[in-house]
Amino acid sequence: MAKVLVVTSGKGGVGKTTSTAALGAALAQCGQNVVVVDFDVGLRNLDLVMGAERRVVFDLINVVQGDAKLSQALIRDKRLDKLSLLPASQTRDKDNLTDEGIARVISELRERFDWIICDSPAGIERGATLAMRHADVAVVVTNPEVSSVRDSDRIIGLLDSKTEKAEKGERVEKHLLLTRYDPVRAERGEMLKKEDVLEILSIPLLGIIPESAEVVRASNVGAPVTLNNPNSAAGRAYLDAARRLNGDAVVTPEKRGLFSKLFTRRAA
Amino acid sequence: MSFFNFLNRRTSAPVARERLQILLAHERGIVGGQPDLVATLREEILAVIAKHMAVERDNVQVKMDRGASVSTLEVDIEIPTPDSVVRPAA
Ligand SMILES: Nc1ncnc2c1ncn2[C@@H]1O[C@H](COP(=O)(O)OP(=O)(O)OP(=O)(O)O)[C@@H](O)[C@H]1O
Ligand SMILES: [Mg+2]
């Protein structure tokens, strides 16, 4: 059964687009059929981070409005044939995205892919609620810093009230992805620790992505970090996170403390 | 006090954590459809206590923590001890 996953945060610039590209590529590297969908209308960047910026012909709005077929707008990744991109429009306004149009596109995508990963715009306005509307699973991207944690809390509230699942009385499966984490600074008490963020937000931990020059290098060259440098700390952290999303048991011995936490939280 | 301040300056994360916990307790009430439940509780608790003793408003903290299956309400009231009441010099 296809799964719709929204990558969301409330706060801007915390790593949603980076994480969408990396998780999408990682799931495709695990053999899943994946499409990443850019919901950041007017500020599209997912194409750039994925290295497909010169291949965009049609976009999400064209498909929603019926000006292009889904197959015309989808861009197949050159490195991974199980990975596709549905870009956002750079020139048109998000008011062109109708609720019915989005619902139709998502249901068409469900027929073609195992994972539909929606890169949400920042904020809590319509763009963000549209991106989460049809989600089965949410990855809440958070930096270890007060305003990001506050905004994530707000987004968790929206996931529990404004989604299709919530309206049917069901639950969107929520996961925390802590990004731009610096363990040394956290240990020194200069930055919130993973335990603090987990306790405050109380959703299960999907992974911790360290602050890393590799992430920036990967976006500079237009390749998800899991492809560009799968053995870097960030690359491995994203690959582990993707395996966990996929339901595989991942236990890294040196991080056992962290995973026992993950599991006890799941069980709670 | 100065030693405490010194420690605090080096480790600001615990302060961040504490501020977030208090703030989010209030905001969750708003989003969850109960307009500022925590604030209402705090006012009513203050009123009950005021009947029996004098407490500083700032010394009553009400905190709601959301958990997966249960949430907790933490009420922290600091009351003056008789010793701290300033007595006229003998
Ligand atoms: N783990 C990391 N280490 C270092 N830099 C990072 C990391 N993750 C993201 N960045 C950088 O942070 C910046 C913002 O990332 P990104 O564009 O993914 O955020 P976003 O949440 O999608 O932003 P927006 O809200 O504007 O859409 C980028 O320059 C990116 O390269
Ligand atoms: Mg983005």
Side-chain angles (χ1 to χ4, degrees), chain A residues 12-18 40 122 180 209-212 215-216 219:
Chain A
V14 295
K16 292 178 294 296
T17 301
T18 305
D40 206 345
R180 311 200 67 164
I209 315 299
E211 171 75 26
S212 143
V215 171
V216 182
S219 35

Side-chain angles (χ1 to χ4, degrees), chain B residues 9-51:
Chain B
R9 195 169 313 133
R10 297 213 43 214
T11 63
S12 53
V15 181
R17 173 198 153 105
E18 186 69 20
R19 288 177 58 224
L20 272 171
Q21 281 176 327
I22 294 168
L23 173 71
L24 295 182
H26 287 268
E27 293 188 341
R28 280 169 193 164
I30 301 166
V31 178
Q34 295 158 289
D36 224 350
L37 172 64
V38 175
T40 311
L41 282 171
R42 182 163 176 270
E43 287 309 313
E44 293 186 9
I45 290 167
L46 264 167
V48 170
I49 295 172
K51 282 190 202 165

